[in-house]
Structures are given as structure tokens and as C-alpha cells.
Amino acid sequence: MSLPNDSAALADLVTRLGIGQRASLATAHNGTGYFAVTPQAPYDASLSVTEQTAQLLAKAEARLAEIGSGKNKLLFVAIILADMAGYAEMNSVWDGWVSGINPPARACFGAALANPALKVEMIMVCAVP
């Protein structure tokens, strides 16, 4: 199968959800969906890693449903923690969230996040219809 050469035809192959000035909330191409998810905004620095992770995963589940997928269709998740000291806290929520499904491949690392109140962010890749 050859891909079209013009950018308009190529753009038709990509589905975008929630297109904003800077980014889309999610994109899908060729049966795969992509999105990043954070806790509820405005971000509350007084919340623990556990609380922010619970908020984030609730948003992730809703986003997955919006694009016609589900947590059982996750392929890969990259977890970014502002401080790796919160790794066990994040895992306590994550483990409950993926309980009962075959969990996706994942990676976890520490990095400075865009907002100092953020403690956790995730990048998710999933199968979509």
C-alpha cells in the first residue's frame, strides 16, 4: 500500500480529538491512539502523588472511552514523575487500576514537568477501532 504524497490526503489518515492551538487531546492513526494525560487542572500541588495519580487515571479512562478504546487495549504507557520518591505511591494506584487486565508495557522515569504543581504525567498508546 502506498501513501498519498500530498499533505491534505495524509492529514485525512489521522483522526484528532480536541484540537487546540498547541496540541490535540488525542490522535489516532492506523488503529493506534496516542495521548498524554495529567491530573485535573488547575493542578493542586497540595495533593499527594497518590491523589494526583488517581485523578490522572480517571481522566485517562475517560479519554480512552472518547477515542473508542479502553485500559484493556493499552499498548504502552510512559509514566513521568517529578520526583522518583513518589514511585511507590504512584504504583499503589496504578496496580489497582490495571488489576484484572493484561497490563500494557510501560516505562517510568523522573523529569521536570511543565508545571511545578504537577507530580505525575503519563503518555499512553492504545489500540483503537
Side-chain angles (χ1 to χ4, degrees):
M1 176 177 155
S2 63
L3 293 175
N5 288 329
D6 66 275
S7 60
L10 189 56
D12 289 340
L13 297 175
V14 177
T15 301
R16 298 176 196 284
L17 171 73
I19 300 171
Q21 181 177 349
R22 182 169 289 153
S24 295
L25 290 178
T27 59
H29 175 263
N30 201 26
T32 307
Y34 308 85
F35 63 94
V37 66
T38 59
Q40 293 295 329
Y43 309 125
D44 184 349
S46 72
L47 296 179
S48 66
V49 172
T50 300
E51 293 165 319
Q52 284 199 6
T53 302
Q55 283 185 352
L56 180 154
L57 292 174
K59 276 179 64 178
E61 203 152 345
R63 180 92 30 90
L64 286 160
E66 282 182 88
I67 63 174
S69 191
K71 64 183 175 180
N72 63 327
K73 293 181 179 75
L74 281 168
L75 303 171
F76 176 77
V77 176
I79 301 165
I80 306 108
L81 291 167
D83 183 346
M84 287 302 291
Y87 183 71
E89 277 187 75
M90 179 278 303
N91 271 334
S92 70
V93 180
W94 172 267
D95 291 346
W97 193 68
V98 297
S99 176
I101 66 165
N102 291 320
R106 76 169 221 188
C108 186
F109 54 95
L113 298 175
N115 184 309
L118 274 173
K119 296 177 180 169
V120 60
E121 185 170 358
M122 295 185 192
I123 300 165
M124 299 189 167
V125 180
C126 62
V128 295

